[in-house]
Amino acid sequence: WMEKVRRDPSDVTAKKELSFAYLVAGDPNSSIEQFYNAMKLSKMDSSDIITYANNLQAFGGRDRARQFLSDVLRMDPSQSAIRE
C-alpha cells in the first residue's frame, strides 16, 4: 500500500488500506496520520469513521480511539452519527 500511495497520493482507498496496515503492524500513529490524510481528500461517512475507530480501539487502545473520535467531531461537527 505504501507504493500505491507513493504513486498516487490522491488514492483514498490506498490511504485507508495503508492506514489499516499500519494499525495491524502496531504503528497506530502512522495509521491515524494516513486515515486523516484520506479524510482530507474525501469526505468520509460516519460508518467509515466508526469502523476505523473500532479497529483503532482493538489495535491501538480505547483512549486513542476516543481521542480520534473527539478530534473528528471537532474538525467536522456535522458527523453527529458518531456521537451515538
Side-chain angles (χ1 to χ4, degrees):
W1 295 111
M2 289 171 68
E3 183 59 32
K4 249 188 137 158
V5 168
R6 270 191 219 116
R7 280 186 279 146
D8 184 4
S10 65
D11 186 337
V12 174
T13 301
K15 285 187 180 285
K16 285 172 32 178
E17 292 294 339
L18 179 58
S19 172
F20 185 69
Y22 276 131
L23 197 54
V24 171
D27 188 353
N29 293 331
S30 294
S31 173
I32 292 168
E33 179 182 349
Q34 286 301 318
F35 198 82
Y36 281 145
N37 288 337
M39 289 176 65
K40 289 176 189 173
L41 293 172
S42 176
K43 183 158 176 70
M44 302 265 177
D45 65 22
S46 58
S47 65
D48 284 337
I49 294 168
I50 291 168
T51 298
Y52 177 73
N54 286 337
N55 287 326
L56 183 57
Q57 180 176 335
F59 291 97
R62 179 179 292 238
D63 292 338
R64 191 169 271 141
R66 279 189 184 169
Q67 184 62 51
F68 167 76
L69 290 173
S70 294
D71 292 344
V72 168
L73 286 171
R74 196 173 14 263
M75 290 185 305
D76 186 0
S78 70
Q79 295 282 2
S80 60
I82 293 173
R83 294 183 198 278
E84 298 171 10

